[in-house]
Each structure stands twice: as C-alpha cells, then as structure tokens.
Amino acid sequence: MGASHISNRSEQQARRWSRRGLLTVLGVTPAAAALTGCSGWAGAANGTTTASAKAAAKKPTVSVTPADGTKKAGFTSPVEVTVTGGTLASVKVTGNDGSPLAGSLNDTKTRWTSARNPYSGTKYTVTATPEGAAAHTATFTTRSPGETFLGYFTPEANSTSGVGMPVSINFTHAVKDRAAVQKAITVTAEPAVEVVGHWFGDTRLDFRPETYWAPGPTYPVSGGNAQHTTWSGIMVISERFKQTRMESSTVGLGDEYDISDVPHAQRLTASGTFVHGNYWASASAFGHQNTSHGCVGLHDAKGANDGEKTVDPANGLNGWNLPWSQWQAGSTL
C-alpha cells in the first residue's frame, strides 16, 4: 500500500509536471514564435525605410556660382562650386573656346574655387563630380564687353619691372564714376608704402608711391643731338624688344635712317623715344657726346640745362615728372 501510494503520487506529480511542461511549451513557444515573427517583419520594414532615408540624406547636392543658366553673369569674381552631403572628387570648368578655367579644392573637398575670374562674353560649362555620385553639369554665360568696360593694365602679373614702373590701367570706355572705379582697385607693395592713383583723363588711371619703389643706378648715354634734343625728365620702360627695326619715317624724320636690327630696344615714350643698344657709334661717344635722333639710355642730369623740354607726364608711363602734391590731386579718393 505504501509503495503503491508513493507510486500513485509520483505518477500524479509526473502528470502535473508533464502538463505544466506541456503548458509551458505550449504557452511560451507560440508566444515566442509569434513575437519572433512580428519582430522579423517589423525589423525588415523599418530597416528598409531607415536605409532609404539614410541614402537620401547622404545624396550630395552640388551648387555652382554663377548659377546654372545665368545669361549675363558677372566676371569680377571667381567661379565657385560647393557640395553638401558629400565631397567633390573633381571639378572641370571649360570656356566655349575650349580653354580651361583652373582652380583648387579646399581642405575638406567641399568647395572648389577658380584660380582667376572668368573672361567676359564667354559661355562656361561646369562639370562637378561628387565622390560616389553622378556628375553634375551646369552652364552660364558672362556679360559681353559691350555691356561694361574693361581695363588693360601694365606691368603684367608676375613680371619683373624697373624701380620706376607705375601700375597703369587703360579702360576701353570713358569712366563716369572715377571714384567708384578707383576705390575698387587696390595696389600694395612690399615693404608697405602709400600708393596713390592719378587719372590721366577719363580712360587711364596710374598708381605709384611718392618715391621710386627701390633705388637704382644710372648709366652714361649718347642722347639726342642739337637738332633732335632728347626729352628731359624721368621716363619709364614700357616695352622691351630683343631686336627691332627703327625707321625714321615712322617718327616724322623722313628717310634719315632705317636700321633693321637695333638690339635690346626699350620704349620710353609713346611718341617713339627708346633706350637701345648702339653698335654703329664710337664707344667713346657714350657719356660724352649726343649723337642720336632723340633716343637715350636713362635720364642724364647733365642735359637739364640744354634747353630740353620735360616730357609730358602722360607721354608714356612718365607720371614721375609730376610733384607728389599734383599726383595726389589727380586722385578721386
């Protein structure tokens, strides 16, 4: 009886445990399966949506200045290409004549800036390619010269000039608002020195300091003879020729000379005064005799009392012949 009782209790307990285990399995497993099923479906949907959102958010957006389609864009500022949501792999800007407009990227490769301003009257095509994305193309056209005016300047950028060379700008049209134009132009020097602009009429603006940019030597010359005296005053070299032809008829002197191979000729005035090499005169003449038809080397103080006229400051780049007070008076600022 005792054993049978124990056995019955064990069987009953085993049945209860079995039912509990079965209930546990039946209760937990479907719930877990259902939960896993729901989680799997929702996660896939949410994951797809999140990936799409991230992809959309990371898509690079390119912007070009001047804007795409501009017909009369300015040409006084560099071209800029910027990107948001990414970086730039390459930028190419080409004019309608095939000439490239070079530029460079910033450190973060999010902005490209052209090294110089675009030319006037030119259509440009911009092709900007972000990293890992398709190329973006834009076009714009700058205003033509007829709608504005241009300034041609000397000396050229990165060139070497003499100590008396002013910065001279000649405009294609008469300037009405001289003050506005002069204010927009900046000329600096190293070491720093005050530089003032002076207007020669309404189409030419020159800049220079009170004294020469730096000291320089003078050389013995053979100047103009008594019939063709040389200009007195300070003259600036504005053009250089390794070799050139000099013909007297071009300066109103008939057929007095025609030399086809004048060496190392350097223009001093617009009217035809040059400093040049001379191989046909005696070496003893230089520094002692005036034998030319007006051409000289550099200004020689010994000729100041020979009845010579001082060159007009506007004749070539010779504004140094104006006292500083008169030069300043020619400024609109």
Side-chain angles (χ1 to χ4, degrees), residues 110-127:
T110 57
R111 183 177 67 254
W112 180 94
T113 306
S114 63
R116 59 170 176 79
N117 298 341
Y119 290 123
S120 62
T122 304
K123 182 178 181 180
Y124 286 93
T125 300
V126 181
T127 304

Side-chain angles (χ1 to χ4, degrees), residues 275-295:
V275 54
H276 60 76
N278 183 326
Y279 60 83
W280 53 88
S282 171
S284 62
F286 298 99
H288 301 283
Q289 298 175 356
N290 291 324
T291 61
S292 78
H293 289 77
C295 288

